[in-house]
Every structure is written in C-alpha cells, then in structure tokens.
Amino acid sequence: MREAMARFVRDGMSVVMEGFTHLIPFAAGHELIRQRRRNLTLIRLTPDLLFDQMIAAGCARKLVFSWAGNPGVGSLHAFRRAVEQARPQPLELEEYSHFGLALRLQAGAAYLPFLPTRNFAGSDLPRANPNLKPVVCPYTGQQLWAVPALEPDVAILHAQRADQEGNTQAWGLTGVLKEAAFAARRVVVVVEEIVSGELIRRDPNRTLLPGFKVDAVVEESFGAHPSYVQGYYDRDNDFYQRWEEISRREESLQAYLATWVFGVSGRQEYRERLGETVRRLRAASLPCEPVNYGY
Amino acid sequence: MREAMARFVRDGMSVVMEGFTHLIPFAAGHELIRQRRRNLTLIRLTPDLLFDQMIAAGCARKLVFSWAGNPGVGSLHAFRRAVEQARPQPLELEEYSHFGLALRLQAGAAYLPFLPTRNFAGSDLPRANPNLKPVVCPYTGQQLWAVPALEPDVAILHAQRADQEGNTQAWGLTGVLKEAAFAARRVVVVVEEIVSGELIRRDPNRTLLPGFKVDAVVEESFGAHPSYVQGYYDRDNDFYQRWEEISRREESLQAYLATWVFGVSGRQEYRERLGETVRRLRAASLPCEPVNYGY
Amino acid sequence: MSGEFTAREIMVTAAARMLRDGEVVLVGIGIPNLAVNLALRTRCPNLMLIYESGAVGARPARLPLSIGDPALVAGAAGVCSMPDVFQYYLQRGWIDVGFLGGAQIDRFGNLNTTVIGDYAKPRIRLPGSGGACEIAVLARKVIVVMPHRRRAFPERVDFITSPGFLGGGRERAELSLAGGGPEAVLTDLGVLGFDPETKEMLLVSLHPGATVDEVRVQTGWELRLASPLGRTEPPSAEELRVLREELALSPAPA
Amino acid sequence: MSGEFTAREIMVTAAARMLRDGEVVLVGIGIPNLAVNLALRTRCPNLMLIYESGAVGARPARLPLSIGDPALVAGAAGVCSMPDVFQYYLQRGWIDVGFLGGAQIDRFGNLNTTVIGDYAKPRIRLPGSGGACEIAVLARKVIVVMPHRRRAFPERVDFITSPGFLGGGRERAELSLAGGGPEAVLTDLGVLGFDPETKEMLLVSLHPGATVDEVRVQTGWELRLASPLGRTEPPSAEELRVLREELALSPAPA
C-alpha cells in the first residue's frame, strides 16, 4: 500500500476514490494522509468520512462531489469547517448531483467530451456550477443539459478480489466503480484478497475491471473499514455515529487522526487495535448458488 | 409462447429481438412466422438466421441492422434476395454499425433523444443513413456524430432464467440485451427455466432485468436453438453451416420452414424432431464458485 | 401531539398512506425509508423498492442506516450500477414515486438541501443534492416529508436544489421537466398539496391535535387552506405496532 | 504458392507477426482469429484478446466459429456488454490493434464491406459494417488481412464502410479520427504498408514464390514499391505445426 500510494499519487493530482457506501477505500486514504499528500483535487459522489478525514488532515485543495454528509447521521464537520470558516484551509468546491457527477465519469470512461441529460432544468445547480451547459438535441431541437467529461489522474478503488493480472471482481453495490476506473488515467485497486486467475476465470461475468485497465493491485484485508465489503464484513454503523462526536471539534478529530492514522504503521496495526470490532463485524455466510458456464 | 406473441406483437410493429450470437430467441421468431405476422420492422445488430427466416416467411417490411451475415459461414441469402431482387417482397433497410445501433438502443433505454459518439467520421455510413447527424460539443466545439434514440414497440429476449415476477438473470455474453429491454415499450422474456424468486435473490448481481420492466415471461426449454445458451446447450454450428445450403435456393428454404416451423406446433415438437442433436449439444458442467452475500 | 402517538409517527404514517400498491418507489434514508417500509408491511405488499445506491426490489432484514446498507443487497431482486439507476430507471420514467426532504421548502414546492445563505459564502453548508435534484426533475411524482418549522418553510428557498413548481403556474410545464413534480408534503402538523392551477402549496388536512393557527405560525407565507379542510386519520394500532416493533422506531419526538 | 505451405498459411503467419506481446487486440472471426491465436501460442503469450461480443481475455479451448462462441466465455478473464466494449474499451483508446478484412480495399486503405455497386441498388449486398467502422475509426492501429485479388483491390472502393486514409495525405488527420488508421495489409502475395506522407499503399515485402508482376496484376492501380523491397520469412516449422495441429487449419488454398 505504501509503495502504491507513493508511486501513483503525487501532490496536486486529481484523485477519484469511489465506492457508494460499500467498498470505500479507507486504508488507501489513511495512507495518503500519512504520506502528507497536499493540494489534491478529491473526487467522490459522497465525500463521506473518508474525505472528511483527508480534508481535516490538509490533503485537499478542491472537492468535486454531489452529497457531503454522514449518511443517516448528519453533517461532515471537517468539510463544513473548511467551507464555512476556511479551517484548516479554504476548500474549493465543484458541486453536482449524483446523476451529474456519475455522468461526468461515464463521459470520461467513454472518452466523450460531454454527455447529455434531462436533469437540472429548473435547479439552481447550473447557476452554481458553470460546468453544466445547455446542449440542443440535433433531432428534436429541445434543450438538454450537458456535463463535461471528467478524467481524474488516478482512481483508487476497493473490491472483494482480484488476480495477479489485475482482473477485478466485485459484487453487491458497484456504484460508479467501473466508470471511475475507465475515466481515470491510472487505476489502483485495493482488494480483500488476491486470488488465482483460475478462480476469476470460472465466473467471468463477475469481473468489473479487466487487468489491463488496472495499474496496481494491493491486498489489504479489512481495508474498507468503517465502510463494508459484502461477503467479508459489515458496515461499522457505530463508528459512523461516533464520528459525529469525534469530528464536531477539530481537537478530537486531530486526536483521532493521531491515534488511528498517524499512530499506526498501516492497516494491519489499525486492525489489531480495533480488536473485538473486527470479530463483531465479520460477515455471516449467505452464499449464492453456482451457475454453469459449460457448453 | 403462442399467447405471449399474439398478445404483444401485432402487424406493423417494430420489434427488437436481441442476443449477440448467444441467446437468440428462435422459438419466439418461429412462433411469429406461424402466426403470419406482417409488415414488421425487425431490429437486430446481427439479423442472423433468425431474421433470414422471418424475411423469407414474409414477416418483414423493414430491417434495422448493422451486420447481415451468417457468422463464420457467409451470406444471408433470403436477406440478399430481398435486397437485391425484392423477393419475396422489397425490404427497406436502415443500416448502422454495431456501435451505432447499440448506441441508439442505449439512448432509448436512457430516454435521451440522442447520444454522441466519436465514430463515423470518414465513413460513408452517414451518407447512406440520414439518421446519423453531426452534433457539436458545447465544451470543446468539436464535431461529433449523433444517433437518435430507438424505442421499439416490443423487445423479445432470451435468457437463462427468470422468476414469476419477471426478474431475469443471464450470464455469458449479454450483448445489448439490457439496452434493448429498457428501450422498448413492452418486453417479453423467453427463458430456459422459470425458477424461484428465492434462487434469483440469492445472487442479485446476476439480475439483468428487474421484474417491473418485464411484461411476460415464457418458459421454453431449448428455445434459442440453433444459437446457444451458456450452461444449457452449445451452439449448433453444423446447422449454421447447413443453412448456407438450405437458404441458397428459395425452394429449399421454404421447405425448411414448412417442416421445421409450420410443420410443428411449437418448440417442444421441434425439439423432439431434432432428436439426437439435443443430446449432442447438451452443455458440459463448468460451474463457478459461489460468492458470499453475507454481512 | 396527541397522547397516543408521536409527531414523527403520524408524519411517517401519513407518508406511507400516499403510496399505492405495486408502485416503483425510489427510497431515501430516514423518514422516507420508514414510510416505505411501513407501507410495505401494511397496505402495499407489492411495492417495488429501489435505492439510488442500485439495490432493486430490496427486502431488508434490518432497518438500514444508509441507502447503501448490505441488508439492502442480500435478498434483493437485483443490483445495478448508479448510471443505470439514473438513466435506465429514473430518467426513463420507471420511478413512480420519489421521496424527498430538505432543509427548506417554499410556497411552490421547491426544495433546498444545498446552503442556507449565499451559495458562495454560505451561513450553513448543507450536504447538497445527492440524488434529490434528479428525483425532483424526473420521478413521475414526488412526496416530500419534513417537520413543519417556520425556518424550513420560507416563501422562497435560498437555493433551488430540487425544483418543485418553480415560480408556480405553468413554469415547470414550460421547462418540459419529465417528472410531474411534488404531489404532497407530509409534515408533523398536516398534509399539504398543491393547487392544480397556481401550483401553490395548500393545507389539505390537519393531523389530530394540530390547529390551523399552529400551521400558519410555522409557515413563512400566508398559507392557503383547501376547502373543505380534512382531518388526518390517526395511525392505526397495526401501523403503530409495525413502526414500533418491526421498524424499531423510537418514540422520540421528530 | 511455395511447396511447403499454403497461401492462406503465409497470410495468417504474416499477420500474426505484426503483433507485439502484451497488446490488447480486438479480434474478428476467420483469418484474424487464426492470426491472433497463432501469435498467442508462439511469440506473444501475453496478448490480451477482446472480442466485440464482450469476451475479454478469452482463452478459447476450441477454435470459435463465431465471435460469440461459448468457448470464448468459459475461462475468459471477464465479460462485458457491447456498449462497454465500444465505449469504454474501443472509444476510450484501450484497443491497440484491430483486425479487419473486407470485400474491397483501395489505394488509401479504405475498406468496403457494405455493397458492390450503388448503395441504393446494389449489385451485391454485403453484410455491412458490424464493428468494422468503429474499429477503423477508433483502434490505435488497424491490420488488414485479405487475399490479393484485382476485384478486391480497386483504386476507389464503392463504399467506405471503414475509413482508412480517405483521400490520402492529411485527410484522415484533419477529420480528427481518434485511431491511427491502417498500419499494414497482409495478403497471400505480400506485406503492404502505407507511405508516411501520402498515405498511399506500398508493397513492402513479397511472400516466397510471389512476384512483383503477380502483385501488380492483382492490384487495381499502379502500386508503388518500397525500397528496398523485402522478402517475407516463410512460416517456421513451429508456426505451421501450431496452425495445422492446434488451430486445425485445413491446408486448403485461401
């Protein structure tokens, strides 16, 4: 993880870290905080606790996003301090709706300079964000809105498993993982397990990303905590609720970072420190039935 | 099958029947021939033997397509007789490339009046088809080509399995099945097996179409022969090669239809008549490993 | 609040009653999620629940804290990508009902979840749109659920995150928005609808115990009343049982 | 044809040699499929095979008759939809090499697979583009494989299904086509390339046994020769063994 982050993420880059509720690459984010990356343009539909922590740690210059809250709990306080009070530093915002930002990644993934949508009419979002522009349909003459392609320097994504060649499989919610990967110049995938190519090839429809699109695979068990990995561990809803308290004051947030990010050498130590929580969150067994690929 | 085709497909309708090499809905096509449907606008990327038969049977007024051949073998002779000699009747053509026609279905599925592409520059296809129009990117000013949305009256699709609610699962090649289903006003799915909702819900990532998008499910084992169904039966490559001989002369093609389409009451009789072939094509066992959905 | 149920309980119940069986519903977290699950377990067993996270036909075994909860995936009829949810489901017109809430709603049903104050220098920075803008533009109808407080019901919202009827009258229709706009607003005080012509919000029904005066005090413009003004049926014993036992709604005030 | 191998065998072998290990190749059926599988089993074990049907990283256990053969799926590294193949793989620039053939190719590498004669009233109706147009426009480079016959090598094709260098010179560049265009044409007589300035087709190398006269007779314009003109290395024993045994290529003439 240390080498992958150092190699692929430099100060000033634009970095998309996706995973909608599911598969959020926390281990990678913590490593970027430890490496004291600066001036990053951070891209995520839902900044979530991951970006709240990275903003508090001073990694971010700009945020490209569509919903900045603690899901089901409340505000992201570090985000709000940065926006409302420019603490610890100002944060430039570029704001969409989920559909709009997902579509920007889709345009980037398809190497199209823009994509159209029926969304946004009547909303003030186009006034807040000049990147949303009108486009006229060449068939009907009607006005739609367009979003421009987004092509981040790096995508950092979490998944259940990959093989040595980088063929990556994910199940459960996949959000915009595929679009983020194809839109980005470089792709780092963090997985719970590196598995044999044989296992991957026994179920090719589960493959989300082909190996040639993946620049590095990092094996990091429990790497998405406090978010979750379907089939591996549950979401740590308690921690999401505790974050409200931790993040409300800058001091307690910095204390959290000192202990849980700067105070560990990596995810393994983090996991050991979590102790009983790891066992509590372990997934139950709910296997699917195999299907036949024979012919 | 008889009721579903009679209920959803009327003379003059536009009908998309998809499945790229895999999952071609032959049983449904044969039923439409038996019901002597007329003036249909038939839509498929690869018309294949299915539409060659429907054209020969006089079902089609117009063909919307992108590659009209017998894959790996040669020409579609009924198609060529219709185009070159207007026999048995003229056939109007609306022609794209695979990308272009796939994109038309994607636009229809997304309820967008158009979608842009970097394709077509330099090709004569836009001259042959005025539906391809230039569109200018509102960000870069560059000229791209656009395709208009395609919204067929009915989609007829084959898949491995569905439950009673219409939740449909398919694996192996899925081509443009999803786009065709979402683009069409009505959707009929033919499956090898109707299975329990329980089985479907144990592996939700395999679901290609949600039940609310499916208007009817027809169980028809061996319904895609001579094409194939991954995990159920192999492609009948011998028949694809024999079709060259059968279809080369109008008389032998009509004799084929008399025996194998009009001469059977439905797919079960067709299958019985195939006899040994059914056994020969039966799929070997090549199961995937189950994955865990627990949390 | 009446003695036997909380303001939150009647708000959820009133919202649940807006649904018809068989509808395809795009569900948010919090009160909308409670309302949909209440309807599913009472009058609408065939409701199709879709979450913007991509869970389709979800049958959660526990009440999800987030719209991406793993319990929404296990046992779902399907899972799809977010581009598919927004394009093939929502934009295509397959979502019958979208639920929304917000920090502010105005006289014409426009919703604000972006900022209080000026956009460039906000007094309070809210989470933003998420999927709300597209739900408001594209869902066939929108049901809004939010507590009735004067600061949340201004005459004009500070920022239109999610368009309702904009300036009222035919303004929404003239912009050709694909969806029908807000159908009802369920608060802890009553049920509100919209005038079919002017598209102005109207008080349609008062919850048990609430008064017109109370509603007017909590509304930032001169709220018109439907005639006749209805009375909301209180939550039934069964509705309360489902809410409290199956959905584990704590009886704290909204 | 030399005594020890067929015209078809040297055409396939010459095509296979155009590939470099590790390239991502969009594979068609027939000769391209043979060429790619020959390369995979000899010099390029890490070639990534993608079929427009959606099979990614295929390792077919038998030679497929169609690009949608089930043997391309079983054991593949992945499967994706056709919109993904065309948009995320091909249009995005991830396809290093696309293979094409056709009924006609002209002086500037334009290909015709649509009609012989007039489009509206064709003398021969061909299958059409399939994925050929987008491969010609968008793949980083294109390799063309087709038998060398005068009727197939006219000065101008009847219909440009798949653009090569159009009228030559900078015409392709000025239209901003994303892909690089044809790099080589492999026939049963020789290897042809394109002049870097004029973009006109050149004979680069003659296959064993073929003569310049023979090539000129089979070409519909005054074909220019590269200088010096090369001689194609004949298929090695190993290449022939793989073709005949592993790929079951029957030694019939092309």
Side-chain angles (χ1 to χ4, degrees):
Chain A
M1 176 64 82
R2 195 172 301 162
E3 297 76 54
M5 290 303 112
R7 180 161 164 223
F8 289 101
V9 185
R10 312 273 163 73
D11 288 355
M13 278 187 169
S14 60
V15 184
V16 60
M17 301 176 79
E18 261 304 331
F20 194 83
T21 316
H22 186 210
L23 301 171
I24 303 181
F26 273 95
H30 286 189
E31 182 57 34
L32 292 174
I33 293 175
R34 271 192 297 273
Q35 295 187 10
R36 300 184 188 277
R37 289 281 72 77
R38 289 295 176 267
N39 291 313
L40 299 178
T41 293
L42 294 178
I43 304 162
R44 255 183 80 76
L45 270 59
T46 57
D48 199 87
L49 277 49
L50 175 68
F51 281 3
D52 215 31
Q53 294 170 3
M54 293 178 75
I55 290 165
C59 303
R61 184 184 68 74
K62 181 175 174 179
L63 184 67
V64 181
F65 77 108
S66 44
W67 193 81
N70 181 345
V73 179
S75 289
L76 292 180
H77 294 288
F79 160 79
R80 283 187 58 186
R81 276 191 294 274
V83 176
E84 296 169 8
Q85 308 163 38
R87 283 198 296 149
Q89 62 193 53
L91 180 67
E92 189 184 334
L93 295 188
E94 186 180 312
E95 180 168 8
Y96 299 87
S97 68
H98 282 349
F99 188 3
L101 188 46
L103 204 59
R104 283 202 67 186
L105 290 169
Q106 188 179 329
Y111 187 47
L112 286 169
F114 80 100
L115 273 173
T117 166
R118 289 184 191 266
N119 197 15
F120 298 125
S123 169
D124 282 340
L125 278 168
R127 252 181 282 178
N129 185 343
N131 264 348
L132 300 171
K133 288 194 178 176
V135 62
V136 174
C137 171
Y139 301 96
T140 62
Q142 74 192 113
Q143 196 214 283
L144 304 170
W145 285 92
V147 301
L150 180 55
E151 299 185 9
D153 292 318
V154 193
I156 302 173
L157 307 170
H158 199 96
Q160 276 98 342
R161 64 192 189 190
D163 64 18
Q164 296 282 2
E165 293 171 1
N167 297 301
T168 302
Q169 298 193 328
W171 58 95
L173 300 175
T174 58
V176 294
L177 293 177
K178 189 172 61 176
E179 289 71 21
F182 277 93
R185 287 181 189 86
R186 297 306 191 90
V187 178
V188 180
V189 172
V190 185
V191 293
E192 292 294 317
E193 298 183 84
I194 292 181
V195 297
S196 71
E198 188 55 36
L199 182 66
I200 296 287
R201 287 172 180 272
R202 285 178 68 178
D203 199 354
N205 285 90
R206 289 243 194 259
T207 302
L208 191 74
L209 303 178
F212 68 82
K213 191 66 197 76
V214 174
D215 296 278
V217 177
V218 178
E219 188 178 53
E220 194 75 282
S221 163
F222 220 65
H225 177 270
S227 82
Y228 75 100
V229 177
Q230 196 97 32
Y232 289 76
Y233 44 91
D234 198 0
R235 192 165 185 268
D236 193 349
N237 287 330
D238 289 353
F239 183 80
Y240 272 83
Q241 274 161 330
R242 283 214 311 280
W243 186 251
E244 169 66 20
E245 188 56 38
I246 295 169
S247 63
R248 200 177 262 283
R249 286 169 45 248
E250 185 141 8
E251 300 69 36
S252 51
L253 200 166
Q254 293 300 337
Y256 171 84
L257 294 180
T259 308
W260 290 92
V261 181
F262 292 108
V264 297
S265 59
R267 184 83 349 181
Q268 200 185 329
E269 209 178 322
Y270 171 96
R271 189 180 153 166
E272 282 157 13
R273 195 168 291 183
L274 276 173
E276 187 50 36
T277 301
V278 175
R279 205 185 342 255
R280 175 173 61 82
L281 296 172
R282 187 170 298 156
S285 176
L286 215 59
C288 69
E289 285 293 312
V291 302
N292 186 16
Y293 277 91
Y295 55 90
Chain B
M1 176 66 81
R2 196 171 302 162
E3 297 75 54
M5 291 302 112
R7 181 162 162 221
F8 290 101
V9 186
R10 311 272 163 74
D11 287 356
M13 278 188 169
S14 59
V15 185
V16 60
M17 302 176 78
E18 261 305 330
F20 194 84
T21 317
H22 185 210
L23 301 171
I24 304 181
F26 273 94
H30 286 188
E31 182 57 35
L32 292 174
I33 293 174
R34 273 191 296 274
Q35 295 188 9
R36 300 185 188 278
R37 289 281 72 77
R38 288 295 176 268
N39 292 314
L40 299 178
T41 293
L42 294 178
I43 304 162
R44 255 182 81 75
L45 269 60
T46 56
D48 199 87
L49 277 50
L50 175 68
F51 282 4
D52 214 32
Q53 294 171 4
M54 292 178 75
I55 290 165
C59 303
R61 183 184 68 74
K62 181 175 174 180
L63 185 67
V64 181
F65 76 108
S66 44
W67 193 82
N70 181 345
V73 180
S75 289
L76 292 180
H77 293 288
F79 160 80
R80 283 187 58 186
R81 275 191 294 274
V83 175
E84 296 170 7
Q85 307 163 41
R87 283 197 298 148
Q89 62 193 52
L91 180 66
E92 189 185 334
L93 295 187
E94 186 181 312
E95 181 167 7
Y96 299 87
S97 68
H98 282 348
F99 188 2
L101 187 46
L103 204 59
R104 284 203 67 186
L105 290 169
Q106 188 179 328
Y111 187 47
L112 285 169
F114 80 101
L115 272 173
T117 166
R118 289 184 191 266
N119 198 15
F120 298 125
S123 169
D124 283 341
L125 278 168
R127 252 181 281 179
N129 185 344
N131 264 347
L132 300 172
K133 288 194 178 175
V135 63
V136 173
C137 171
Y139 301 95
T140 62
Q142 74 192 114
Q143 195 212 283
L144 304 170
W145 286 92
V147 300
L150 180 55
E151 299 185 8
D153 292 319
V154 193
I156 301 173
L157 307 170
H158 199 96
Q160 275 97 344
R161 64 191 189 191
D163 65 17
Q164 295 283 1
E165 293 172 1
N167 298 300
T168 302
Q169 297 193 326
W171 57 96
L173 301 175
T174 57
V176 294
L177 292 177
K178 188 171 63 177
E179 289 71 22
F182 277 93
R185 288 182 188 85
R186 296 304 191 91
V187 178
V188 180
V189 172
V190 185
V191 293
E192 291 295 316
E193 297 184 85
I194 292 180
V195 298
S196 71
E198 187 54 38
L199 183 66
I200 297 288
R201 286 171 180 272
R202 285 179 67 178
D203 199 353
N205 285 89
R206 289 243 195 258
T207 301
L208 191 74
L209 303 176
F212 68 82
K213 191 68 197 72
V214 174
D215 296 278
V217 177
V218 177
E219 189 179 53
E220 193 77 282
S221 162
F222 221 65
H225 177 270
S227 83
Y228 75 100
V229 177
Q230 195 97 33
Y232 289 76
Y233 45 90
D234 197 0
R235 191 164 185 270
D236 192 348
N237 286 330
D238 289 353
F239 183 80
Y240 272 82
Q241 274 161 330
R242 282 213 313 281
W243 185 251
E244 169 66 21
E245 189 56 36
I246 294 169
S247 63
R248 201 177 262 284
R249 286 170 46 249
E250 186 141 9
E251 300 68 37
S252 52
L253 201 166
Q254 294 299 337
Y256 171 83
L257 294 180
T259 308
W260 290 93
V261 182
F262 292 108
V264 297
S265 60
R267 185 81 348 183
Q268 200 184 327
E269 210 178 322
Y270 171 96
R271 190 180 153 167
E272 283 157 14
R273 196 170 289 185
L274 276 173
E276 189 48 37
T277 301
V278 175
R279 206 187 339 257
R280 176 173 59 83
L281 297 173
R282 187 170 297 154
S285 176
L286 214 59
C288 68
E289 285 293 312
V291 302
N292 186 16
Y293 278 92
Y295 54 89
Chain C
M1 190 197 314
S2 139
E4 292 167 44
F5 49 87
T6 66
R8 192 176 165 92
E9 283 168 344
I10 190 150
M11 181 159 64
V12 172
T13 306
R17 289 178 187 156
M18 300 299 300
L19 297 167
R20 271 164 276 172
D21 201 20
E23 285 183 323
V24 180
V25 186
L26 196 67
V27 190
I29 227 55
I31 289 176
N33 188 64
L34 287 167
V36 170
N37 273 283
L38 175 58
L40 191 66
R41 288 154 204 245
T42 51
R43 298 167 30 256
C44 307
N46 301 306
L47 225 47
M48 170 63 69
L49 275 55
I50 297 183
Y51 292 78
E52 68 189 17
S53 58
V56 177
R59 288 186 186 163
R62 69 183 185 200
L63 203 66
L65 180 67
S66 89
I67 56 170
D69 197 281
L72 297 173
V73 170
V79 169
C80 67
S81 75
M82 291 180 74
D84 279 6
V85 172
F86 292 123
Q87 293 174 103
Y88 295 176
Y89 289 66
L90 182 56
Q91 188 164 262
R92 191 68 181 87
W94 285 103
I95 304 299
D96 296 314
V97 186
F99 272 98
L100 292 176
Q104 293 182 327
I105 187 167
D106 69 18
R107 188 168 185 159
F108 296 108
N110 303 299
L111 280 156
N112 175 17
T113 53
T114 301
V115 285
I116 302 297
D118 180 54
Y119 182 78
K121 280 190 78 68
R123 201 146 45 75
I124 302 176
R125 175 65 228 199
L126 303 165
S129 163
C133 174
E134 39 268 16
I135 293 170
V137 173
L138 300 166
R140 290 188 180 270
K141 65 186 183 198
V142 167
I143 295 173
V144 180
V145 190
M146 49 194 283
H148 217 134
R149 302 291 175 272
R150 191 175 185 89
R151 63 180 154 76
F153 281 69
E155 181 153 15
R156 284 301 259 168
V157 289
D158 293 0
F159 187 97
I160 300 180
T161 313
S162 308
F165 296 109
L166 303 165
R170 293 194 38 77
E171 199 174 322
R172 182 182 172 104
E174 276 158 13
L175 276 179
S176 303
L177 272 65
E183 181 170 272
V185 182
L186 295 317
T187 77
D188 48 347
L189 298 178
V191 177
L192 300 105
F194 292 88
D195 182 282
E197 295 302 317
T198 66
K199 303 297 185 188
E200 189 179 333
M201 204 187 290
L202 303 175
L203 182 64
V204 171
S205 160
L206 271 176
H207 292 341
T211 65
V212 169
D213 275 357
E214 204 178 346
V215 171
R216 286 203 157 132
V217 165
Q218 299 292 1
T219 304
W221 68 91
E222 187 135 345
L223 181 67
R224 289 179 50 214
L225 312 183
S227 144
L229 182 62
R231 269 283 164 192
T232 313
E233 192 73 26
S236 70
E238 173 62 7
E239 284 168 329
L240 288 173
R241 188 195 63 76
V242 171
L243 277 178
R244 291 171 186 175
E245 291 173 22
E246 296 189 26
L247 303 178
L249 180 63
S250 71
Chain D
M1 189 196 313
S2 140
E4 292 168 43
F5 48 88
T6 68
R8 191 176 165 91
E9 282 167 346
I10 190 151
M11 182 159 63
V12 171
T13 306
R17 290 178 187 155
M18 299 300 299
L19 297 167
R20 273 165 274 173
D21 201 20
E23 285 183 322
V24 180
V25 187
L26 196 66
V27 190
I29 227 55
I31 289 176
N33 188 64
L34 287 166
V36 170
N37 274 282
L38 174 58
L40 190 67
R41 287 154 205 246
T42 53
R43 298 168 28 257
C44 307
N46 301 306
L47 225 45
M48 169 65 68
L49 276 53
I50 297 183
Y51 292 79
E52 67 188 18
S53 59
V56 178
R59 287 187 186 164
R62 70 181 184 200
L63 203 65
L65 180 67
S66 89
I67 55 171
D69 196 280
L72 298 174
V73 170
V79 169
C80 67
S81 75
M82 291 180 74
D84 279 6
V85 172
F86 292 124
Q87 293 174 102
Y88 295 175
Y89 289 66
L90 182 56
Q91 189 165 260
R92 190 68 182 87
W94 285 104
I95 304 299
D96 296 313
V97 186
F99 272 98
L100 292 176
Q104 293 182 327
I105 187 166
D106 68 19
R107 188 166 183 160
F108 296 108
N110 304 298
L111 281 157
N112 175 17
T113 52
T114 301
V115 285
I116 302 296
D118 180 52
Y119 183 78
K121 280 189 79 66
R123 202 145 45 75
I124 301 175
R125 174 65 228 199
L126 302 165
S129 164
C133 174
E134 39 267 17
I135 292 171
V137 173
L138 300 167
R140 290 189 181 270
K141 65 185 183 199
V142 166
I143 295 173
V144 179
V145 190
M146 50 193 283
H148 216 134
R149 300 292 175 271
R150 192 176 183 88
R151 63 180 154 76
F153 281 70
E155 181 152 15
R156 285 299 258 168
V157 289
D158 293 1
F159 187 97
I160 301 180
T161 313
S162 308
F165 296 109
L166 302 166
R170 292 194 40 77
E171 199 174 323
R172 182 183 172 104
E174 276 158 13
L175 276 180
S176 302
L177 272 65
E183 182 171 271
V185 182
L186 295 317
T187 78
D188 46 347
L189 298 180
V191 177
L192 300 104
F194 292 87
D195 181 283
E197 295 302 316
T198 64
K199 302 297 184 186
E200 188 178 333
M201 205 187 290
L202 303 175
L203 181 64
V204 171
S205 159
L206 272 176
H207 292 340
T211 66
V212 168
D213 275 358
E214 203 178 346
V215 171
R216 285 202 158 133
V217 165
Q218 298 293 0
T219 303
W221 69 93
E222 188 135 344
L223 181 67
R224 290 178 49 214
L225 312 184
S227 141
L229 182 62
R231 270 282 164 191
T232 312
E233 192 73 27
S236 70
E238 174 62 6
E239 284 167 328
L240 289 173
R241 189 196 62 75
V242 171
L243 277 178
R244 291 170 187 178
E245 291 173 23
E246 295 188 27
L247 303 178
L249 180 63
S250 71

